[in-house]
Amino acid sequence: MMERRFPRNLGSLEPMAQFVADYVGSRGFDPEHSFTVDLLIEELFTNQLRHGKGGGPEVSLRLGGEREELVLTLRDFDVESFDPTSAPEPPPDASAGGHGLRLVRGISDSIRYEYRERSAIITITKRFPR
Amino acid sequence: MFEILVQQDGLVKLSGRLDAAQADRAKAALDAVKGSATLDLTDLDYVSSAGLGVLVQTYKRLHDSGHGFKLTNMKPRIRSVFVYAGLDKVLRLD
């Protein structure tokens, strides 16, 4: 398991991608899978920036799981609740965003949202059969 | 790192990582395209929904004014993002 905190802004996207690549490599997964995990994290993170009102200076990103399963957990501190699992999807030709939720739902094997102690916690499981 | 090169003939080359941090820059460059466009994605390594949104906006703007908009040479993983988002039914993917 690896966990790291990142500033709560878009400048964290590239460092997060590097964090993912390091973790995927350490687990012996195909490096191509970094792309998928990176995408899931960006969609969740930018969704939180857009809809999660408030928020502290940092978010926490944890990567773990066993065997062919990768579990990622994004925790957004001191924020109002926004549940991405219950948000409606826009039509496919929408130009003003909304594709992210469709991507996350299409790619993930499971998504769980929790809200406790003023933290929004999103956990995604993705299987990468070897 | 993300780069976008708009040529006079309507060919646009995108490379690197088109994420939410780069979407505004991509939008500003694509807004300069006033006629039919072909986007060469040979060297595009990553795209997220923010990037897709910019491409769909550009497609709609050009389409509404009677111009063509085509995406070419995308890597399989880039294509899969378009497909998961349902955009293979909206945009022309060559």
Side-chain angles (χ1 to χ4, degrees):
Chain A
M1 191 271 284
M2 286 169 61
E3 183 168 6
R4 191 173 299 171
R5 291 198 178 199
F6 295 89
R8 195 180 187 276
N9 59 56
L10 290 179
S12 290
L13 290 175
E14 290 218 22
M16 284 177 168
Q18 186 57 55
F19 178 63
V20 168
D22 291 346
Y23 179 76
V24 166
S26 75
R27 286 278 303 274
F29 284 123
D30 183 336
E32 192 74 10
H33 294 328
S34 291
F35 177 88
T36 304
V37 180
D38 193 10
L39 181 61
L40 289 169
I41 290 169
E42 176 177 338
E43 300 304 342
L44 294 177
F45 180 54
T46 55
N47 209 52
Q48 273 303 122
L49 294 182
R50 192 177 303 119
H51 299 293
K53 294 193 174 87
E58 293 182 320
V59 298
S60 160
L61 178 59
R62 186 170 62 197
L63 301 174
E66 293 182 345
R67 292 185 286 277
E68 64 184 27
E69 207 170 68
L70 192 149
V71 180
L72 72 89
T73 305
L74 180 72
R75 182 166 186 152
D76 194 10
F77 304 95
D78 195 22
V79 69
E80 291 181 24
S81 180
F82 173 77
D83 181 358
T85 64
S86 63
E89 288 181 5
D93 64 346
S95 55
H99 302 295
L101 281 176
R102 186 178 290 105
L103 288 175
V104 169
R105 289 169 182 163
I107 295 170
S108 304
D109 290 304
S110 74
I111 312 171
R112 187 175 74 243
Y113 174 76
E114 304 165 72
Y115 186 71
R116 60 171 190 265
E117 297 170 348
R118 283 195 52 79
S119 286
I121 305 162
I122 307 156
T123 303
I124 281 187
T125 301
K126 175 66 182 171
R127 283 191 297 277
F128 294 114
R130 305 211 189 225
Chain B
M1 176 125 175
F2 171 70
E3 295 294 337
I4 181 166
L5 176 65
V6 179
Q7 297 183 182
Q8 295 287 345
D9 58 0
L11 182 65
V12 182
K13 294 184 176 179
L14 293 90
S15 63
R17 181 185 164 88
L18 178 48
D19 62 18
Q22 302 299 329
D24 286 348
R25 194 155 70 88
K27 171 83 166 50
L30 287 168
D31 280 350
V33 178
K34 303 299 180 191
S36 293
T38 298
L39 273 61
D40 181 355
L41 308 186
T42 302
D43 296 319
L44 188 69
D45 297 318
Y46 176 92
V47 66
S48 65
S49 67
L52 297 183
V54 170
L55 298 179
V56 173
Q57 285 176 45
T58 304
Y59 158 74
K60 284 190 163 182
R61 179 175 60 79
L62 294 179
H63 180 77
D64 289 351
S65 54
H67 299 297
F69 180 85
K70 188 168 66 171
L71 301 166
T72 62
N73 300 326
M74 60 179 70
K75 295 180 170 78
R77 64 186 185 185
I78 299 291
R79 178 179 293 271
S80 72
V81 179
F82 282 89
V83 172
Y84 273 121
L87 292 176
D88 54 322
K89 301 175 184 68
V90 179
L91 301 175
R92 180 176 163 189
L93 313 182
D94 283 354

